[in-house]
Amino acid sequence: LAASRVGLTRGAIPRRVAPTHRAPLVLATATANTGAAAATSPPLSTFAARVDAATATLFGAEPTARVRRAWARLDAGEEHESVLSDHPLMIQRASSYIDGLSVHPWHEPATKHKWAKKLEASWTVVRDELKSALADEDALHALGNNVWAGAKNQTSASAYGQDWRTLALCDRTVWDETNSALFPRTCELLHKAKVPLVEAFFAKMPPRSVIGPHSDMCNFALTAHLGVQVPENKCHLSVGDGTRTWADGRAMLFDTSVLHEARNDADETRYILMMRVYHPELSGVERKALQFIFDCLDEPELLADPIALAEYPERRAMVEAASRQSWERALDG
């Protein structure tokens, strides 16, 4: 993930800057050989070792062992790959890889999760808010932050195409101050539905376009889509050996560490609400440990601030609550 200042070591909560599109959720550089993680983890860099030690101290060595092993492998530059079947897309690739998580290309039905069922039941809230914003694209670009951002680097551009664009609402559980205020009802729906959200953004795919086979290189987060403005029966997503068709109001949940590809065969743009959500087999402690590692990457001085470390859970909760204020005020207004 691209670095994005959080403000855990300072009193103020700064504006969250929406990242341009990148391969999602790759941890970045990686943790210390502490406790249960030490047995099968490679040696760590100095920074990674400090992160590992702090993670074990804050959340416990044993409960965070899998996360810290993943961090160590990432720091060593290791990449996981497994062939799931003889289908050309049935390959899992991940540089951010937590062992022991089951791999299924499709998690179906998505609505077995209460949050997905709630999104489908209220999908028109999202549609109407996006439709209103798209009615005046000039105003949207003038008021928004990194509106319809393109690929950040050549790797992402090669996978997604130059014309695949995103509009960020939430990044690593913190709401974008500017964009969330433009889509307050969508943000409220995501919050009230209790989506196990890591990030959320609108994504548009241009007419007659294709996204080639690729992996998002992370197995501890699944990807969810909610169709918002989709040409009927013209837009298809293949993950592993299964292909599905996007539809308005339909939620889909799948594992993008498995090779996947997409196509829009219509003469119209396809719009979806896209979410990264934690793999359901991660424990609550593991999710907190992952968030802490993200914050150390964003704000390395956190590791040198004993007060901030001691108060980390409270400060993290305050950051998230403060970031909600932008869209909450927009609702009240």
Side-chain angles (χ1 to χ4, degrees):
L1 285 171
S4 185
R5 304 291 293 180
V6 178
L8 290 161
T9 58
R10 300 178 298 283
I13 306 300
R15 171 178 170 174
R16 188 74 163 184
V17 178
T20 54
H21 180 72
R22 68 283 194 227
L25 290 169
V26 175
L27 279 172
T29 325
T31 321
N33 287 338
T34 308
T40 58
S41 298
L44 294 160
S45 66
T46 301
F47 171 74
R50 292 174 65 203
V51 174
D52 178 80
T55 303
T57 298
L58 277 173
F59 304 106
E62 182 62 32
T64 61
R66 293 197 303 179
V67 171
R68 295 185 298 109
R69 285 197 297 269
W71 176 236
R73 288 191 294 265
L74 183 64
D75 184 57
E78 295 181 7
E79 183 176 302
H80 171 85
E81 179 170 315
S82 60
V83 177
L84 307 175
S85 81
D86 58 2
H87 189 283
L89 295 183
M90 283 293 279
I91 299 172
Q92 183 184 47
R93 290 186 186 136
S95 52
S96 290
Y97 178 81
I98 292 181
D99 52 80
L101 299 179
S102 63
V103 53
H104 306 287
W106 293 93
H107 288 244
E108 296 177 321
T111 49
K112 68 182 178 183
H113 300 282
K114 291 181 180 179
W115 56 265
K117 193 171 184 177
K118 290 177 181 177
L119 292 183
E120 284 197 354
S122 300
W123 79 276
T124 55
V125 168
V126 184
R127 178 201 63 191
D128 293 348
E129 205 161 47
L130 179 63
K131 185 177 180 180
S132 177
L134 293 177
D136 191 343
E137 287 263 16
D138 290 340
L140 178 60
H141 280 272
L143 296 172
N145 176 36
N146 266 348
V147 173
W148 303 130
K152 181 187 177 186
N153 53 47
Q154 187 56 46
T155 300
S156 294
S158 297
Y160 289 89
Q162 294 287 353
D163 295 325
W164 194 85
R165 304 281 172 162
T166 63
L167 192 162
L169 298 177
C170 181
D171 182 30
R172 296 189 202 172
T173 75
V174 175
W175 298 95
D176 182 278
E177 179 182 7
T178 301
N179 293 344
S180 67
L182 299 178
F183 300 92
R185 295 180 66 207
T186 296
C187 297
E188 180 187 40
L189 174 60
L190 290 168
H191 181 64
K192 286 189 173 181
K194 297 183 179 179
V195 181
L197 201 60
V198 181
E199 60 181 4
F201 49 93
F202 288 108
K204 71 175 183 177
M205 188 176 181
R208 302 292 173 181
S209 63
V210 174
I211 297 174
H214 66 285
S215 165
D216 288 347
M217 302 302 289
C218 172
N219 82 320
F220 59 75
L222 304 179
T223 297
H225 286 178
L226 180 68
V228 179
Q229 188 172 309
V230 180
E232 188 172 2
N233 296 322
K234 292 291 183 70
C235 300
H236 312 287
L237 174 66
S238 296
V239 184
D241 57 2
T243 299
R244 307 291 184 268
T245 299
W246 280 292
D248 287 345
R250 180 187 300 163
M252 300 192 296
L253 184 64
F254 48 96
D255 188 337
T256 47
S257 67
V258 178
L259 295 185
H260 53 287
E261 61 186 2
R263 60 187 308 110
N264 177 2
D265 294 327
D267 294 322
E268 308 163 52
T269 300
R270 181 230 62 186
Y271 292 91
I272 59 170
L273 178 63
M274 189 164 173
M275 297 149 277
R276 310 289 186 191
V277 300
Y278 282 120
H279 194 294
E281 293 170 11
L282 286 173
S283 70
V285 172
E286 287 174 323
R287 298 178 191 199
K288 291 177 182 178
L290 286 166
Q291 183 61 65
F292 175 70
I293 293 173
F294 291 155
D295 287 338
C296 289
L297 290 167
D298 289 346
E299 200 167 345
E301 59 266 36
L302 175 62
L303 294 167
D305 189 332
I307 296 177
L309 284 174
E311 297 176 351
Y312 174 77
E314 294 78 12
R315 292 189 179 209
R316 162 46 61 178
M318 289 175 61
V319 165
E320 294 181 10
S323 76
R324 291 197 298 269
Q325 292 178 3
S326 182
W327 60 258
E328 289 174 340
R329 285 194 299 265
L331 285 173
D332 294 339

